[in-house]
Amino acid sequence: MRTRFVISGAVIALVIAACGGSDDKKQSSPTTTSESTTAPATTTAVKSGDKVTSSGTQLTKPSNPDTRQIDAEQACRTFLETPAGQCEIVMMAGGNALWTVDALPGTGAGEQVWHVRIRVGSKSMPDGGWDVALGLPQSPDPLFASVAVKAADVTGDGRPELLVGYRSGGTGQFEAYDVVTYEQGKQLEVAAHRQGLHKGSVALEGTTIVDYSADEGSPGCCPTKARRTAIGFSGGVFRVTEVSEVPIDQQPADLFA
C-alpha cells in the first residue's frame, strides 16, 4: 500500500522558459524507429524509441546539503521560507522524500523567483535530520510564472515518483518538467526532463506521461493542433513510446494546474 503524508494542497503549475520549438509541419501520425537514440529535451525531432534523460534540468544536487532537524509539530513546514510555501512528505520506493516550493518576490513580468528543494533523510543526523538532495540554483535566481510538484507512480513499481512542473511567463507560456525517482538502494535523482512545450500541458494515462506542445506555426492566439508525446518507463529508463499531432481541443488540462 502506498503511504503519503500530505501537508498542503495542490501547488500552482509551472514552466521553464526554453527556446526549443516544435516542428509542427512534420508527420502527424505516430513515428517509429528501429534505432533507439537519446531524445532532445525539447519537443523538436522526438521520435518513438528515443531515450528521455535528465539533460537540460536545472534541478541538481547542491554543493551544501543544508542538513537540518525537522520540527515534529511543524513537520515539512519546518523547511519553508515563506508563509504561502507548499510542502509534502512522500513515501517513495527508496524512502521518504520531503519537497518544498516557495515563491519569492521577483522582477520579471508575471514571473517570480522560485526556490524548490527536495530533501531525504540525513545519514549524518539520522534522528530527524533531512538533507537537500536536489534543488534549483540560487545564482542566478530562477524566474518562473508558476511551479508545482505532483506525486504519481510513473514507473509501475506501485510507489510514487515526483513530477516537478515549471511554467514561464510571456505569450509562449512554455512549460517544462522533471521526473524525479528514488529507487531502493539508489540516490534521489532526476531521471527525465522535458522542456519547450509551447502553451504546453502534461497529463497521465496510467503510468504513462503524456505531454502536449501547441503548434507554433499558428497565430499566437489560436493554435489549431498540438504535438502529443507519450513517455513510458521500461528497462530502467524513460523512453518516447508515441508521437502524434492532435487537434488542439484534444489537449487536456495541465497536471500542474
Side-chain angles (χ1 to χ4, degrees):
M1 175 185 299
R2 179 190 308 178
T3 305
R4 293 173 54 201
F5 177 50
V6 180
I7 303 301
S8 63
V11 206
I12 3 171
L14 98 70
V15 190
I16 291 178
C19 298
S22 299
D23 184 355
D24 295 301
K25 295 182 180 179
K26 294 191 175 180
Q27 55 206 46
S28 59
S29 59
T31 57
T32 59
T33 177
S34 58
E35 182 178 355
S36 175
T37 59
T38 298
T42 57
T43 60
T44 306
V46 172
K47 50 189 186 301
S48 181
D50 282 353
K51 181 179 178 180
V52 182
T53 71
S54 61
S55 176
T57 183
Q58 295 187 59
L59 195 62
T60 57
K61 182 179 180 179
S63 57
N64 180 0
D66 185 31
T67 303
R68 292 171 56 192
Q69 189 87 16
I70 195 169
D71 182 278
E73 294 185 1
Q74 292 291 318
C76 73
R77 299 193 68 83
T78 303
F79 306 104
L80 291 177
E81 301 174 58
T82 63
Q86 303 292 328
C87 65
E88 183 180 8
I89 298 175
V90 179
M91 184 178 288
M92 303 176 71
N96 288 344
L98 186 162
W99 62 259
T100 58
V101 173
D102 287 281
L104 290 84
T107 56
E111 296 182 329
Q112 293 175 287
V113 174
W114 290 82
H115 287 177
V116 176
R117 306 284 182 269
I118 305 179
R119 295 175 179 264
V120 297
S122 174
K123 292 182 179 180
S124 62
M125 191 186 293
D127 187 16
W130 291 82
D131 295 341
V132 176
L134 294 172
L136 290 180
Q138 295 187 39
S139 181
D141 285 319
L143 288 171
F144 303 112
S146 59
V147 176
V149 180
K150 298 292 182 181
D153 179 13
V154 293
T155 62
D157 64 355
R159 294 284 190 176
E161 285 68 50
L162 297 179
L163 286 81
V164 187
Y166 317 85
R167 187 170 299 279
S168 64
T171 57
Q173 299 177 18
F174 285 95
E175 184 165 58
Y177 63 93
D178 290 312
V179 182
V180 178
T181 60
Y182 192 11
E183 300 180 55
Q184 289 185 348
K186 296 185 179 181
Q187 294 185 342
L188 186 89
E189 63 179 359
V190 177
H193 172 76
R194 291 274 287 160
Q195 66 188 41
L197 304 177
H198 177 238
K199 298 184 184 296
S201 66
V202 178
L204 297 177
E205 296 181 4
T207 59
T208 299
I209 304 168
V210 184
D211 63 46
Y212 295 79
S213 183
D215 174 21
E216 292 187 69
S218 300
C221 69
C222 320
T224 59
K225 56 186 177 180
R227 181 183 293 269
R228 177 186 184 275
T229 304
I231 298 169
F233 187 79
S234 177
V237 298
F238 286 93
R239 293 187 185 276
V240 176
T241 58
E242 183 182 359
V243 180
S244 61
E245 287 184 347
V246 298
I248 196 66
D249 60 2
Q250 291 185 20
Q251 179 173 338
D254 188 32
L255 171 70
F256 301 110

